Amino acid sequence: MPPRRRSVLLALLSIDAPGGSQLTILDELKRVILSGDAPPGTPIPLNEVAEIFGVSRIPVRESLKTLIGEGLVDHRPNLGYTVAQLTSAELHEMYIVREVLESAALARAVELATDEDRQRAIEANQLLEQSITADDPREYHRQSREFHMSLTRPSHMKRLLHMLDSAWNITEPIQPMVHVAGSDRETLHSDHRKMLEAFLTRDTATLLDIALEHHSRLNTVISSIPTDTGLLAQSPRTIAE
C-alpha cells in the first residue's frame, strides 16, 4: 500500500506559538478553509493538527464540530474530517439562498446608504475592475464578494447579513469564480457595473431587477464547473459529528 500523502491543509496553518486557545485554532482552520487553498475533500487529520498547535485533541475536535455546524467541514465515521464538499445541486441551493438574502438587504441598503457607503462601493468596484484587467481569477473571486457586501452592508440588517455571510462561506472552498471562463467573469462584471450605477442613483427597482438577472446568470455559469475534478461531491453528504 502506498504511503498516505500529507494533507495540504497542514502546511497552510500559521501558528504564532504552541498551545493556542480553541478560538485561535478555530479561526486558523477557518481561514485556511475559506482561502480555497485546501480544496473540498482535503483531509483534516485530527492528531496532526493537534500536534501542530501543541494542544490535545479536545480543542481541535471542538473547533471542527463548530465548523461542521457552519457547513465547512464533513465528518464520516472511520474516515475522519475533511473540508466539506457540496454536490452540484447543493451549490445551486446556496446560490438561491444568497439571492434571496441579498435582494432583501439591497432594498434596505439603498434607502440607508450614506455618501461613505457609496464611496466604498465605488472603491470595491475599482478593485474588481483591476482583477479583470490583471486576469487574476482568485482576486476576482475575492473582490466579487467584497463588492456584493459593499452593496448590502448599508442595510444594517445584522442577522440577515450574518446569514448571507455564512451562505457565502459555504461555497468559498470551491472558489467558484476561479473555475469559470474569463468571458463569463467579464459578463458577470458588466452586471456589477449596472448594479453600482443603480445603487449610486438610489434606483431600488432597477437594482433589484439587475440583481435578479445577475443571479440567474450566476446559476448558469456555475453549472459549467466540472463535476469530475473532486471539487463537487457526487452524492449528498451524510454528516456525523
Side-chain angles (χ1 to χ4, degrees):
M1 179 181 294
R4 173 181 284 183
R5 290 185 177 180
R6 181 176 171 84
S7 171
V8 64
L9 178 138
L10 298 174
L12 299 170
L13 295 172
S14 177
I15 314 301
D16 293 330
S21 67
Q22 183 178 322
L23 181 58
T24 298
I25 296 168
L26 173 63
D27 287 347
E28 182 58 15
L29 287 170
K30 189 171 184 177
R31 180 192 69 79
V32 170
I33 292 171
L34 294 182
S35 74
D37 291 327
T42 298
I44 309 175
L46 180 60
N47 290 339
E48 293 176 65
V49 172
E51 183 178 339
I52 287 174
F53 280 104
V55 297
S56 71
R57 293 158 49 102
I58 296 173
V60 177
R61 185 184 294 113
E62 291 303 311
S63 296
L64 291 170
K65 284 184 178 180
T66 298
L67 293 173
I68 289 172
E70 294 181 11
L72 296 176
V73 168
D74 288 340
H75 180 253
R76 301 178 191 276
N78 303 319
L79 294 178
Y81 299 92
T82 59
V83 177
Q85 284 183 303
L86 299 176
T87 64
S88 179
E90 289 170 333
L91 179 60
H92 278 280
E93 180 182 337
M94 295 316 303
Y95 272 82
I96 292 172
V97 171
R98 279 168 44 177
E99 176 186 351
V100 173
L101 294 173
E102 182 173 293
S103 295
L106 286 174
R108 182 76 176 275
V110 172
E111 299 175 8
L112 300 180
T114 64
D115 288 342
E116 290 78 9
D117 291 325
R118 285 184 279 275
Q119 182 58 37
R120 278 192 284 270
I122 292 171
E123 292 170 356
N125 184 65
Q126 289 172 341
L127 291 174
L128 199 46
E129 295 273 8
Q130 292 172 17
S131 70
I132 289 283
T133 301
D135 192 22
D136 186 340
R138 289 181 64 88
E139 185 65 9
Y140 175 85
H141 179 88
R142 190 173 74 85
Q143 295 301 339
S144 179
R145 175 172 181 167
E146 183 55 36
F147 173 76
H148 280 265
M149 291 303 182
S150 75
L151 300 185
T152 55
R153 286 193 192 103
S155 70
H156 301 296
M157 302 170 76
K158 292 183 179 179
R159 291 184 183 274
L160 185 150
L161 291 173
H162 176 73
M163 289 187 288
L164 180 57
D165 195 54
S166 296
W168 272 91
N169 285 349
I170 289 173
T171 64
E172 283 296 76
I174 300 173
Q175 299 280 291
M177 292 301 102
V178 174
H179 304 286
V180 302
S183 58
D184 287 329
R185 287 192 292 272
E186 291 177 2
T187 300
L188 290 169
H189 188 51
S190 69
D191 294 337
H192 293 150
R193 297 187 188 101
K194 296 173 185 176
M195 290 171 70
L196 176 63
E197 181 179 355
F199 180 78
L200 295 178
T201 57
R202 302 185 184 186
D203 187 343
T204 303
T206 298
L207 176 57
L208 292 178
D209 285 344
I210 297 169
L212 181 63
E213 183 178 349
H214 180 65
H215 280 280
S216 176
R217 206 186 313 276
L218 272 173
N219 275 297
T220 300
V221 166
I222 63 172
S223 296
S224 68
I225 296 176
T227 59
D228 58 353
T229 60
L231 288 172
L232 298 173
Q234 299 302 309
S235 59
R237 299 170 293 159
T238 301
I239 300 175
E241 294 189 1

